[in-house]
Amino acid sequence: MGRKIPVWQCLLVILAMVGLLMWSILVDDGGEPHIALILAAAFAAIIGGINGWKWAYMEQAILASINRSMQACLILAIVGAMIASWMAAGTIPSMMYFGIKVISPKVFLVTACILCSIVSLATGSSWSTAGSMGVALIGVGVALGFPEAMTAGAVVSGAYFGDKMSPLSDTTNLAPAMAGAKLFDHIKHMIYTTGTSLVIALVAYAIMGFMYSSNNTPDMSTLDEITVFIQGSSKVSLVALIPPIFVIAAVALKLPAIPALIGGVFIGVPFMFWNSAAVEAAQGLPLKNCIFTTLNNGIAMASVPDDASLIITKLADLLSSDGVQGMFWTISIILFAMCFGGIVDATGVMGTFAGMLLKVAKGRGGLVFATEFSCLVVNAICCDQYLSLVLPGRMFKEAFEDMKLAPKNLSRCLEDSGTITSNFFPWNTCGATMRNFLGVDSSYIPFAILNWLNPLVSIFFGFTGITMEKMTDEEYARVLEEREKEKEAVLKALEA
């Protein structure tokens, strides 16, 4: 263990990371953040070493941080295979086709948000939702004339609403565990802030959809050209929708996410044989010789004609997948980000900033604001959604208790900012994943209305006191009693 790192050195670590990332994005060709993140981790380790933190300790912190992200990395790789499987099975082309046929342009954004909310509620996973339903909706949006960023914003809003409100979600279970709240008390308490944010977002999407479709009415001949193009690339059938129904049902029945997604990969394989003519035309091989290749390296289901319009060219891109290998760019970002996050967590850099925030947080509203801001900062600096719940949860738990605020207030704050802003940063686990799945850059963020509005609604409720429930005197007395027991246990452990 080393000594406490001075504030000015903590600021140097943060400024180094921000500067390196800005250089990689704005100056360096390609905007790849990988080397910037590993250099920032190296600089943080040097600062830690100067202050007496042993490399062996920091290395263990890095490995522990990477270990926390391994489930996310596995899910990414599996979803890469699943998208390739569903593309070759005709599942995603069928979802695009029926979406274009059924969804009215005026309600498209509202429908996209609601559909993703439902799927994410059922699965407890914003990632699975974006990687399946989201991919199809991007294609539908392109066909209907909507910018990809706008569609991606509606998809992300719906996916994160369902994720944070589902009892199957890992973050929905982690936040109350950090705050000492009960799971279903936590979910019910989030209805006030997250439900309000969703209603406002849906109204905004309805207005945006009406205005955009009025100014950009899709040409029916263009829509016919698109549907014919999709049908020419793959078999289109309601039967091909069985794989996503299986995944939703499997996770809704509380089958763990990874086995459910693996099931989603392999249930698509029989449909690849059903769609074998299209697969063999795309791969140039008999299907029996390219099943593993398709899952690993992906498939392009449609080739672009020489005289193709811009929208057909874009649609052809959306009818392709890079398989498992296509996810390793994102996985490598996660691994490098976890190196930096592990060091700044273990050496107390983030704890220093939390202590500073607690000194300036005045009253109930200030405490809520400090918590929300901390979650945002941890997402940006530690690059990990789980740390954005764990660190502020540990830091502010006693402050909420001493203000006699019920634990569910803290757990709600953690999710209202930690869970929902995690995708804002391209180097964060969730940010890299959403951009990879949906094929967009950060331009979708203004359209992810729920995600940036939810923290603001939560802060408003904090300052006004709306739904900020208090503990009774008896509950607070029990909290103080538990604290004393914990202190005694620590003292005994030290003596031993």
Side-chain angles (χ1 to χ4, degrees):
M1 297 289 285
R3 58 185 174 273
K4 185 176 180 181
I5 298 177
V7 173
W8 69 271
Q9 292 183 19
C10 293
L11 286 170
L12 273 181
V13 170
I14 304 308
L15 289 173
M17 188 204 73
V18 172
L20 287 164
L21 284 170
M22 287 181 66
W23 181 277
S24 71
I25 294 168
L26 300 177
V27 180
D28 201 61
D29 181 48
E32 307 286 348
H34 301 68
I35 302 304
L37 286 169
I38 204 66
L39 288 175
F43 183 76
I46 291 169
I47 294 294
I50 290 170
N51 287 277
W53 294 89
K54 300 295 185 184
W55 169 249
Y57 177 80
M58 290 189 285
E59 185 178 52
Q60 286 303 310
I62 289 171
L63 294 176
S65 184
I66 289 174
N67 186 54
R68 285 194 300 271
S69 72
M70 286 314 297
Q71 184 189 38
C73 292
L74 285 172
I75 288 175
L76 269 171
I78 294 165
V79 169
M82 188 176 74
I83 293 173
S85 172
W86 290 8
M87 199 70 74
T91 299
I92 290 175
S94 294
M95 291 167 75
M96 290 182 182
Y97 178 86
F98 291 116
I100 294 166
K101 287 290 188 182
V102 172
I103 299 174
S104 166
K106 290 183 179 179
V107 296
F108 169 67
L109 294 176
V110 173
T111 305
C113 185
I114 291 174
L115 281 175
C116 289
S117 296
I118 293 169
V119 173
S120 195
L121 272 169
T123 63
S125 172
S126 56
W127 288 23
S128 299
T129 302
S132 53
M133 182 65 72
V135 173
L137 286 168
I138 291 289
V140 175
V142 168
L144 296 177
F146 284 87
E148 290 173 72
M150 192 179 287
T151 305
V155 166
V156 170
S157 286
Y160 273 86
F161 171 82
D163 189 319
K164 76 194 293 279
M165 296 300 292
S166 173
L168 304 176
S169 169
D170 47 6
T171 56
T172 309
N173 284 273
L174 180 60
M178 289 297 101
K182 294 178 181 177
L183 174 61
F184 286 101
D185 287 347
H186 165 64
I187 292 172
K188 290 175 186 175
H189 205 50
M190 283 198 297
I191 291 172
Y192 298 113
T193 54
T194 312
T196 300
S197 302
L198 180 67
V199 170
I200 296 171
L202 289 175
V203 171
Y205 288 138
I207 294 170
M208 288 162 56
F210 182 81
M211 292 176 64
Y212 198 85
S213 61
S214 297
N215 296 328
N216 299 274
T217 304
D219 185 351
M220 294 310 296
S221 62
T222 302
L223 289 182
D224 289 340
E225 180 187 3
I226 290 166
T227 53
V228 168
F229 182 74
I230 293 172
Q231 286 178 307
S233 70
S234 173
K235 276 190 178 181
V236 171
S237 170
L238 289 172
V239 175
L241 303 181
I242 290 175
I245 292 171
F246 165 82
V247 171
I248 293 169
V251 184
L253 292 171
K254 300 188 177 180
L255 190 69
I258 288 178
L261 292 173
I262 291 174
V265 173
F266 290 108
I267 201 172
V269 172
F271 293 91
M272 290 168 63
F273 284 93
W274 174 74
N275 195 33
S276 60
V279 176
E280 290 172 355
Q283 298 289 55
L285 291 168
L287 180 58
K288 65 180 182 179
N289 298 129
C290 63
I291 295 174
F292 292 171
T293 299
T294 298
L295 299 180
N296 188 47
N297 298 321
I299 186 170
M301 290 301 296
S303 57
V304 184
D306 294 334
D307 58 346
S309 63
L310 182 62
I311 194 167
I312 292 296
T313 302
K314 185 60 191 174
L315 199 60
D317 288 339
L318 294 170
L319 287 169
S320 66
S321 163
D322 293 327
V324 173
Q325 295 302 318
M327 293 297 172
F328 276 90
W329 184 92
T330 304
I331 290 170
S332 59
I333 281 187
I334 293 170
L335 295 178
F336 288 164
M338 290 303 100
C339 293
F340 180 79
I343 291 173
V344 296
D345 178 23
T347 56
V349 171
M350 289 310 304
T352 297
F353 285 108
M356 293 167 59
L357 281 172
L358 275 173
K359 289 178 182 177
V360 299
K362 302 297 182 183
R364 179 190 57 227
L367 183 58
V368 170
F369 176 80
T371 305
E372 305 269 346
F373 183 71
S374 295
C375 293
L376 183 70
V377 170
V378 174
N379 264 325
I381 294 172
C382 294
C383 318
D384 180 47
Q385 182 186 48
Y386 301 112
L387 283 177
S388 75
L389 302 178
V390 172
L391 294 182
R394 290 200 308 239
M395 295 166 189
F396 295 105
K397 186 174 184 290
E398 288 194 3
F400 270 78
E401 291 170 348
D402 290 338
M403 209 168 281
K404 292 189 176 181
L405 291 169
K408 60 186 176 182
N409 294 297
L410 172 57
S411 64
R412 183 174 75 181
C413 287
L414 295 175
E415 284 234 75
D416 283 347
S417 185
T419 298
I420 216 157
T421 65
S422 56
N423 65 91
F424 286 177
F425 308 99
W427 53 87
N428 184 289
T429 312
C430 298
T433 300
M434 288 296 139
R435 286 161 178 77
N436 190 315
F437 283 173
L438 302 176
V440 294
D441 57 22
S442 296
S443 60
Y444 79 87
I445 292 175
F447 301 106
I449 297 171
L450 177 83
N451 298 68
W452 56 257
L453 179 64
N454 198 178
L456 299 179
V457 170
S458 189
I459 291 168
F460 173 76
F461 278 25
F463 277 102
T464 59
I466 298 171
T467 73
M468 296 292 292
E469 295 189 23
K470 303 276 279 186
M471 285 192 283
T472 64
D473 291 337
E474 292 79 9
E475 288 171 332
Y476 184 58
R478 282 197 295 272
V479 166
L480 294 178
E481 187 179 332
E482 287 172 8
R483 277 192 208 169
E484 287 302 316
K485 289 180 180 178
E486 288 174 3
K487 288 178 183 176
E488 289 174 9
V490 171
L491 289 172
K492 286 180 181 177
L494 290 173
E495 289 171 1

